[in-house]
Amino acid sequence: MSDDLFRRTRAMFDLPKGVVYLDGNSLGAMPTSARERVRRELDESWGRQLIRAWNSAGWIDLPARVGDRIGALIGAPKGSVIAGDSTSINLFKALTAALELAAPRRVIFSDSGNFPTDLYVAEGVCRLLGRGHELKIVDPEAVESALDESVAVLMLTEVDYRTGRRHDMRLLTEKAKACGAVMIWDLAHSAGAFPVDLVGCGADFAVGCGYKYLNGGPGAPAFIYVRPDLQPRVAPALSGWMGHAAPFAFELSYRPAPAIERLRAGTPPVLSMAALDAALDVFEGVDMFALRKRSIALSEDFIRRIEAECPELQLASPRDPAERGSQVSFRFAEGYGAMQALIARGVIGDFRAPDVMRFGFAPLYVGFAEVETAARMLVGVVRGRLWDRPEYRARNKVT
Ligand SMILES: Cc1ncc(COP(=O)(O)O)c(C=O)c1O
């Protein structure tokens, strides 16, 4: 049953022959529906309808439509998610709104496993507000015990981009609420990777990427969630015309749209948004619990094979699959060269400095045969010391 499901989803992707793609945690593979949709938007909508397509092709409603479709994957009700901008920008929107809700508290609390952009955006927000806000960072393991009533906003990424370590979202959200803090989750490595229950957890805000497990394509629009009952109290800092109550009334002063639409800022990138919309078709009929089960089985199989044959590599991800997202990371001092050698042999993962080799398992298009091939190739690269070849040592800009 589940084999049939994933055979069906695999057939919806256009992957090059001979490639094992284990980097869906960074850039998801391309669904054929995305290509067909972008072609259609170019040829029929832009090409023929021209500006009329904002209405006739529904461009104007794409951010809400795509937001609702993502919402269905992350436990968010209709009207609580809007797609657009990047994760960094959406985090700025969430953080500025959350700090206003949490005033007079001034502490943004996060952890050292967070993705740098989240921490950098928080630094920028503190500077911009100029009212003594500060960013406090602790180790991921210390978040729960270090939270206290001075915290304005707890801002965490559920799954650590380096190690795949997964926070307990429900527990930490409850703890944040008990301290009177506003909770923001970055779901970049969660949305489309496993079931998420934003409403069940009581999260206040969430953001995430469209180009990872959602397969929306390079630079795909991101998304932002705001708890429905908070929406009327959110005063957007990026108060752009598309978030106005009546964008085409062109009033001189900003009046926010009544609900999640106020988190829109400017004109959406329609072609990218259409690609993401079409990519989400792949998730139709997919049980996210079955997907999670499969992702764990694939990851466990990979870990078992590598640990049995490659003692040079140390598992950097938690051993307990319940504490991992959908990626497996290994530490290896020669990881950069080893990953380049592996990629040259058609097995694509990636590398994060100083020594982390990352492998993402997206069951929509990765199966057990691919895991076997990837493990065999990696063992060959390490045993044959192929990482030592000069062509694999030269660093690319993107690792
Ligand atoms: C947790 C997390 N947040 C944010 C981002 C990136 O944000 P943006 O799409 O704005 O570049 C990434 C990228 O990998 C990420 O892992």
Side-chain angles (χ1 to χ4, degrees), residues 194-213:
F194 48 75
V196 177
D197 185 9
L198 279 176
V199 167
C201 291
D204 300 310
F205 293 85
V207 298
C209 297
Y211 50 75
K212 296 179 187 290
Y213 294 97

Side-chain angles (χ1 to χ4, degrees), residues 25-26 85-91 113-118 121 157-162 186-189 207-212 219-220 222 352 358:
N25 50 310
S26 207
D85 301 311
S86 64
T87 304
S88 305
I89 291 174
N90 284 322
L91 193 70
N114 209 342
F115 189 73
T117 208
D118 299 49
V121 166
T157 293
E158 186 183 13
V159 176
D160 185 312
Y161 73 105
R162 273 204 208 95
D186 183 336
L187 302 178
H189 299 265
V207 298
C209 297
Y211 50 75
K212 296 179 187 290
R352 288 295 174 261
R358 302 194 304 178

Side-chain angles (χ1 to χ4, degrees), residues 335-344 347-351 357-359:
Y336 182 79
M339 185 53 80
Q340 294 308 305
L342 201 55
I343 292 171
V347 177
I348 303 180
D350 65 18
F351 173 82
M357 300 178 77
R358 302 194 304 178
F359 302 91

Side-chain angles (χ1 to χ4, degrees), residues 149-169:
E149 304 203 338
S150 70
V151 174
V153 176
L154 177 58
M155 176 191 80
L156 296 173
T157 293
E158 186 183 13
V159 176
D160 185 312
Y161 73 105
R162 273 204 208 95
T163 63
R165 186 263 315 125
R166 184 179 174 187
H167 271 311
D168 185 334
M169 199 165 149

